[in-house]
Amino acid sequence: MKMGFRWYGEGNDTVALDQIRQIPGVETIVWSLHHKQAGEVWETEEIEAEMARITGISAEAAARGVTRTLDADVVESVNVHESIKLGKTVLGLSRDEAIENYVTTLERLGRAGVKVVCYNFMPVFDWLRTDLWHPLPDGSTALYYEKAVVDQMSPESLIADMEKNSGGLTLPGWEPERLASFSELNAAYEGVTHEDMYRNYKYFLDAIIPTCEEYDVKMGVHPDDPPFDIFGWPRVVSTKEDLATILSLNDSPYNGLTLCLGSFSANPANDAVGAVRTFMDRIHFSHVRNIKHFPNGDFTEVGHRACEGDVDTVGIMAAYAEADYTGYIRPDHGRHLWDENTTNKPRPGYGLYDRALGIQYLLGVWDTVRRGR
């Protein structure tokens, strides 16, 4: 197993590579070219420059005696253009044009040494919360989902609210370029069914998997966040049955999962540990985090320790350790702690401290299980 840490790039993240390097156990930077829009080709020079920045050590750090390096094995995400999900031309790009660009990007990433690409197949919004800075009893803040607000809210008002509370940092899945075309996308999804989405999904996988096999790039789809339909749009990566269906659409081992246990567990009926054990050989990447459910359908993100919420993070890490899991894992959305609530506000969910604490907790479980065998 290789532990990773998501990083949004130089000048686009409140956390520095030098800080990440000091977190014990972290080997992999999970990265992306966040200025690239869905459907665009990633240029070789851009890929190589970002990977060199991640894997290198600055002259200033080297002068201080720093020698520890990080790798850039995992990309999160290469976003899937809406024309691929819809199976028709939208936002000025046809499905086949978008797929051709996607294949070119995968080829270039594979040549550069990337091993895993995380992506999602969610319509319009990649993820949804109603409060990005919700106060918790310990004084920290965290992402929060309030069911009644979503039930009463229009997508347009939610977009305005997210832009207002993003802290000036672009949120993945909520990029201004994407949201500017919301009306067109909303109209395009009218009448689209779950069956339509699966049919278009298979078309996409069948088109890209040969390139993945040739260049040794494993694909990992991220579960819907949250894992149920919203605003009438069909979501198809929400349940254990959905995951099995997606893996059956193309049986290549390169068609796999980014099993985000926090997103998956936002539906209390989903069994996180059971999903890990069932799909172990097709989980190329995993996000391990915790959430707490409330009876009215709300949920909040909490610390990674199992007893803090309703996700069995101990059982999850034990399952990975018992299976000698060799893929990639990272902590996911953490609380905002200490100065991150005041003077050093990070991208919501992506501060330094709680994710670093989470890594130590997750690795503690891993080490304990491995030592006891």
Side-chain angles (χ1 to χ4, degrees):
M1 182 267 291
K2 294 186 75 171
M3 180 61 70
F5 195 95
R6 193 174 191 185
W7 185 63
Y8 285 89
E10 199 73 43
N12 192 38
D13 202 314
T14 57
V15 181
L17 286 173
D18 282 351
Q19 293 173 312
I20 300 169
R21 197 177 284 114
Q22 295 176 33
I23 304 172
V26 173
E27 301 178 68
T28 297
I29 291 296
V30 179
W31 63 281
S32 186
L33 297 181
H34 290 283
H35 64 284
K36 305 296 285 192
Q37 301 303 307
E40 290 185 340
V41 172
W42 291 23
E43 301 301 335
T44 299
E45 296 76 14
E46 296 176 301
I47 293 168
E48 292 178 346
E50 189 68 1
M51 293 182 72
R53 184 176 293 111
I54 290 166
T55 59
I57 297 175
S58 68
E60 186 275 333
R64 290 188 281 109
V66 174
T67 59
R68 184 184 176 202
T69 59
L70 300 163
D71 68 49
D73 288 1
V74 181
V75 167
E76 182 181 347
S77 299
V78 179
N79 291 322
V80 177
H81 194 265
E82 300 293 335
S83 63
I84 296 173
K85 303 170 195 175
L86 287 160
K88 62 183 180 183
T89 299
V90 66
L91 305 180
L93 199 62
S94 73
R95 169 170 65 176
D96 288 341
E97 288 173 323
I99 289 176
E100 182 180 354
N101 291 347
Y102 206 99
V103 167
T104 299
T105 296
L106 290 177
E107 177 181 337
R108 291 173 177 175
L109 289 171
R111 288 185 185 276
V114 168
K115 300 302 182 187
V116 175
V117 168
C118 169
Y119 70 103
N120 73 74
F121 216 74
M122 289 178 259
V124 189
F125 297 154
D126 282 8
W127 57 279
L128 190 153
R129 298 293 186 276
T130 56
D131 189 348
L132 305 182
W133 308 96
H134 187 77
L136 297 180
D138 61 7
S140 64
T141 61
L143 303 175
Y144 191 92
Y145 179 92
E146 188 173 357
K147 182 179 183 299
V149 170
V150 175
D151 290 345
Q152 299 168 9
M153 218 173 189
S154 69
E156 291 85 352
S157 61
L158 183 62
I159 290 170
D161 192 62
M162 292 288 279
E163 290 178 335
K164 177 182 176 182
N165 291 290
S166 66
L169 295 167
T170 300
L171 302 177
W174 295 80
E175 297 86 358
E177 296 84 357
R178 179 200 299 239
L179 301 181
S181 304
F182 171 76
S183 296
E184 180 181 349
L185 287 178
N186 192 33
Y189 274 100
E190 186 173 350
V192 174
T193 66
H194 293 82
E195 291 73 22
D196 295 330
M197 291 284 286
Y198 279 127
R199 185 166 52 252
N200 297 333
Y201 202 155
K202 177 174 174 53
Y203 187 96
F204 170 65
L205 289 173
D206 288 346
I208 68 168
I209 290 300
T211 298
C212 294
E213 293 174 336
E214 181 178 357
Y215 292 95
D216 194 26
V217 177
K218 293 182 172 67
M219 300 297 294
V221 64
H222 189 290
D224 302 324
D225 186 9
F228 39 79
D229 293 354
I230 58 170
F231 301 125
W233 306 321
R235 291 187 159 200
V236 296
V237 195
S238 293
T239 66
K240 186 176 180 180
E241 292 72 25
D242 291 345
L243 300 182
T245 295
I246 289 159
L247 295 180
S248 72
L249 294 177
N250 188 299
D251 61 7
S252 169
Y254 284 81
N255 171 32
L257 307 175
T258 292
L259 190 54
C260 177
L261 283 314
S263 297
F264 187 71
S265 298
N267 180 345
N270 285 339
D271 175 10
V273 177
V276 170
R277 295 191 184 279
T278 299
F279 302 115
M280 184 70 70
D281 63 339
R282 301 285 284 276
I283 302 171
H284 302 318
F285 183 27
S286 186
H287 302 169
V288 185
R289 62 177 168 88
N290 203 350
I291 62 170
K292 181 176 178 60
H293 291 284
F294 299 97
N296 62 356
D298 296 356
F299 64 85
T300 187
E301 305 192 7
V302 293
H304 286 74
R305 192 180 180 202
C307 63
E308 295 289 320
D310 298 306
V311 181
D312 185 5
T313 50
V314 170
I316 288 164
M317 292 306 297
Y320 280 127
E322 290 163 0
D324 295 323
Y325 179 67
T326 58
Y328 299 84
I329 287 178
R330 72 166 175 85
D332 205 3
H333 307 156
R335 298 167 298 151
H336 317 111
L337 306 181
W338 308 317
D339 66 323
E340 292 174 344
N341 283 328
T342 54
T343 59
N344 189 36
K345 279 201 169 185
R347 181 174 278 97
Y350 286 100
L352 170 63
Y353 309 122
D354 203 37
R355 287 190 291 162
L357 292 172
I359 285 171
Q360 300 315 296
Y361 179 74
L362 300 178
L363 288 178
V365 177
W366 173 273
D367 291 344
T368 299
V369 173
R370 299 280 291 180
R371 178 171 292 183
R373 295 178 60 188

